[in-house]
Amino acid sequence: MTSCKPGNEHIRKPDWLKIKLNTNENYVDLKKMMREKGLHTVCEEARCPNIHECWGERRTATFMILGAVCTRACRFCAVKTGLPNELDLAEPERVADSVALMNLKHAVITMVARDDQRDGGAGVMAETIRAIRRKNPFTTVEVLPSDLAGDYDSLKTLMDAKPDILNHNIETVRRMTKRVRARATYDRSLEFLRRAKEMQPEIPTKSSLMVGLGETWEEIIETMDDLRENNVDIMTIGQYLQPTKKHIAVQKYYTPQEFGELRKIAMTKGFSHCEAGPLVRSSYHADEQVNAAARERQRRGESELAVQS
C-alpha cells in the first residue's frame, strides 16, 4: 500500500490521476444547454474529475437542484456555501426537459443541502422525479439527497416518488466524520439509508466512500460492514482530491491495485455492485449500476423461487 504523508508535507499526485480532457461537440453542447436552461450540475460545481468523460464521451450529467449554494460547509466539498436563494418551483420541469433533450436512459439528480427548508428540499426533488417520469417514461432516475436533517417525513415524501435508486453518501469512516462533514453524522446517514430501504424495499440503496483522508484499511472494511448491516445494495469508493488549499488535505493516494482489492472485498460482503477506482465518484457510470442492480434483483428473485419450489 502507498504510505500516508508525514505532517503537512505535500504529496505529489500520481500519474494514474491524470485526466484526459475532451472538449468535443458533446461537451460544448451540454455546457451550452445547462446555461440556457439555468441549471446546475454537480459535475461543474464540485469540480468532478470525470466531467470530460461523462459530458464528452458518455453524454451523461448529474443535475444539481435547489440552487448552487449549500447551507453546509463540509471540508471536502467545493460547492459554494452560504445563504441560498428562494426555491425555484419551475426547476423540476426544466430538468425534465433537459433529460428529454439529452435523450438520457438514466438521470442522476443530486442537491445542495437546504437546511433552511422545513422538508430539506425533499418536495422539489420528489417533483423532479415525477416531472422526469411524465416527460421521459423510459428514463430511470437516481437521486442523491442530503440527510434531510434526519426528518423521516421528508424522506417519505422522496421515497413515495419512487426513484429507481436512492443514493446517500456516507462520505468517510466513522472516526473522520466530525472532521470532514458539516452537521451530518455517520449514524444518521446509516439510519437514513436503512429507513429508505424499509419504506420501499424494492428500491436499491447506494452509498459512496472517499478514501485518502487519513482512514485506515480496517476502517474502510468496517464502513462496508456498517453499510451492509443497513441493507445498502451498491457502493462506490473513490480517491479524495483536494479541491482548493482551503479544503482538507489529501493524506494518501491509493493505487489502482488497492481499489481493485477493495472492490473484491465489497463484492464478497454482498453488495450487488461496487465501483472502486481513483477517479470513481458517486454517480460514476451510474447507468451501469442501475442495470447491475436490476440483474441482481432478478437473480435473487429466481433463486428464491427455486428454493420455494
Side-chain angles (χ1 to χ4, degrees):
M1 298 181 190
T2 55
S3 60
C4 296
K5 67 178 182 179
N8 293 319
E9 181 185 342
H10 177 75
I11 49 177
R12 182 181 299 175
K13 191 179 290 185
D15 289 342
W16 58 78
L17 284 171
K18 291 181 179 177
I19 299 165
K20 178 185 176 184
L21 301 183
N22 189 352
T23 52
N24 63 12
E25 186 176 350
N26 281 341
Y27 180 91
V28 173
D29 285 349
L30 286 181
K31 195 174 187 72
K32 182 172 181 282
M33 184 183 71
M34 294 299 176
R35 298 298 78 80
E36 288 176 347
K37 292 287 184 180
L39 298 173
H40 303 282
T41 67
V42 74
C43 319
E44 296 170 287
E45 302 295 337
R47 305 184 186 184
C48 180
N50 302 308
I51 186 170
H52 291 276
E53 177 188 352
C54 295
W55 287 29
E57 297 175 24
R58 299 174 72 90
R59 198 171 172 85
T60 61
T62 299
F63 298 91
M64 188 172 76
I65 64 171
L66 296 159
V69 180
C70 185
T71 54
R72 301 184 186 180
C74 296
R75 293 192 65 202
F76 67 89
C77 184
V79 174
K80 298 185 191 85
T81 185
L83 295 174
N85 296 325
E86 293 294 318
L87 295 183
D88 179 358
L89 299 181
E91 188 174 42
E93 295 297 328
R94 292 204 309 278
V95 171
D97 288 341
S98 297
V99 169
L101 284 171
M102 293 170 67
N103 194 27
L104 295 184
K105 293 181 180 178
H106 183 67
V108 182
I109 313 299
T110 187
M111 61 180 285
V112 292
R114 289 298 301 255
D115 296 315
D116 59 313
Q117 299 294 315
R118 173 176 283 185
D119 70 349
V124 173
M125 182 169 267
E127 182 52 38
T128 303
I129 297 169
R130 290 190 286 267
I132 293 172
R133 296 259 193 258
R134 287 194 299 270
K135 297 184 177 183
N136 310 273
F138 300 108
T139 299
T140 51
V141 184
E142 175 177 335
V143 293
L144 175 53
S146 72
D147 60 15
L148 304 176
D151 187 307
Y152 298 111
D153 288 336
S154 299
L155 176 59
K156 186 176 187 304
T157 295
L158 184 56
M159 296 307 291
D160 284 350
K162 295 196 174 180
D164 292 279
I165 290 184
L166 183 282
N167 182 356
H168 174 68
N169 291 339
I170 198 74
E171 305 292 11
T172 187
V173 301
R174 181 186 294 276
R175 178 177 58 86
M176 299 291 297
T177 296
K178 284 185 179 180
R179 186 180 175 203
V180 173
R181 303 173 76 188
R183 302 188 190 178
T185 71
Y186 187 87
D187 287 315
R188 189 160 73 188
S189 286
L190 290 176
E191 185 177 7
F192 186 94
L193 288 158
R194 176 178 60 78
R195 291 204 182 204
K197 177 63 77 173
E198 290 172 353
M199 291 175 185
Q200 300 286 351
E202 75 283 1
I203 294 177
T205 51
K206 172 180 169 183
S207 195
S208 183
L209 178 71
M210 298 177 292
V211 294
L213 289 157
E215 70 292 322
T216 67
W217 189 266
E218 291 73 22
E219 286 174 322
I220 297 173
I221 307 307
E222 178 186 350
T223 304
M224 290 182 186
D225 290 334
D226 288 340
L227 291 172
R228 285 300 299 137
E229 285 174 9
N230 287 275
N231 297 314
V232 174
D233 302 290
I234 300 167
M235 185 178 190
T236 61
I237 309 170
Q239 173 69 51
Y240 167 67
L241 298 175
Q242 185 181 18
T244 73
K245 292 182 179 179
K246 294 180 181 179
H247 291 82
I248 191 169
V250 175
Q251 296 296 314
K252 167 179 169 159
Y253 289 113
Y254 286 72
T255 67
Q257 292 74 22
E258 287 174 304
F259 279 109
E261 181 62 24
L262 287 171
R263 184 187 181 281
K264 288 179 184 177
I265 294 170
M267 295 304 292
T268 64
K269 291 184 177 295
F271 290 99
S272 65
H273 189 83
C274 177
E275 289 276 355
L279 295 177
V280 166
R281 294 297 179 265
S282 186
S283 57
Y284 186 67
H285 292 185
D287 52 337
E288 296 175 6
Q289 294 167 26
V290 72
N291 292 333
R295 289 194 297 270
E296 179 63 17
R297 288 200 305 276
Q298 181 180 5
R299 186 193 67 78
R300 288 176 181 175
E302 291 171 351
S303 297
E304 289 174 4
L305 286 174
V307 170
Q308 292 171 4
S309 61

